[in-house]
Amino acid sequence: MARIRLNMPEKYIFTTELPVRITDLNYGGHVGNDTILTLIHEARMLFLRNAGYTEMNAAGASLIMADVGIEFKNELFYGDRLQVKIIAAEFTRVGFDIFYQLEKISGERSTIIALAKTGMVCYNYEQKKVISLPQELIQTLGTP
């Protein structure tokens, strides 16, 4: 079976830390695969907020997640310190990708927990249609 292999960027423009909550654990005692997607969503909201946007208003466009790819690398447990690095890239006429590197931080050491990419599409909810990507997003969210 072919595995997902994401081509990750070398640089990120935003870093945040997220708590690992007791409710994030599954029956195996570690953070569940489904929770990784939830953590990515939370990190994306913080990334957008840091730039002055929301998913409902990103330079005049709403954003819809069209797809997601996640490479699970290691386990994450309750009490672990999670750091998420983010950048937007691969801009098209109507959207872009957001890349995420999730790392467990232990003192000076970091361990990659997961790599992810979400495809974001610009959308107008009133007109119920995909719209053009605002150029402002490329300048604000892209590579420095």
Side-chain angles (χ1 to χ4, degrees):
M1 177 168 82
R3 300 280 183 236
I4 292 175
R5 295 285 179 229
L6 298 175
N7 186 16
M8 301 300 289
E10 291 183 19
K11 295 182 181 180
Y12 297 87
I13 65 168
F14 178 77
T15 301
T16 190
E17 287 193 18
L18 298 175
V20 177
R21 305 165 303 170
I22 194 69
T23 55
D24 293 334
L25 305 185
N26 64 15
Y27 57 85
H30 58 220
V31 171
N33 294 347
D34 58 332
T35 301
I36 295 293
L37 184 58
T38 301
L39 293 168
I40 288 167
H41 186 195
E42 182 68 27
R44 181 174 63 250
M45 296 301 289
L46 294 170
F47 173 59
L48 292 171
R49 184 173 74 183
N50 183 68
Y53 304 130
T54 67
E55 286 187 335
M56 294 304 292
N57 186 0
S62 294
L63 299 175
I64 293 177
M65 186 174 68
D67 54 47
V68 61
I70 302 173
E71 285 185 53
F72 301 101
K73 300 288 190 180
N74 285 290
E75 293 178 299
L76 190 61
F77 299 95
Y78 179 69
D80 284 344
R81 189 171 147 218
L82 178 65
Q83 182 180 77
V84 184
K85 297 176 183 177
I86 302 174
I87 193 166
E90 300 181 11
F91 295 90
T92 68
R93 187 180 62 78
V94 296
F96 56 95
D97 291 334
I98 300 179
F99 293 87
Y100 312 79
Q101 183 169 302
L102 288 75
E103 299 178 358
K104 177 172 63 174
I105 306 299
S106 301
E108 297 296 318
R109 188 169 171 247
S110 67
T111 303
I112 295 177
I113 300 302
L115 302 173
K117 178 176 86 163
T118 55
M120 307 304 293
V121 174
C122 296
Y123 192 75
N124 182 308
Y125 277 98
E126 290 177 10
Q127 297 175 357
K128 302 284 187 207
K129 68 176 193 172
V130 173
I131 61 172
S132 295
L133 172 75
Q135 288 299 308
E136 177 183 323
L137 289 180
I138 298 171
Q139 297 164 353
T140 307
L141 302 180
T143 306

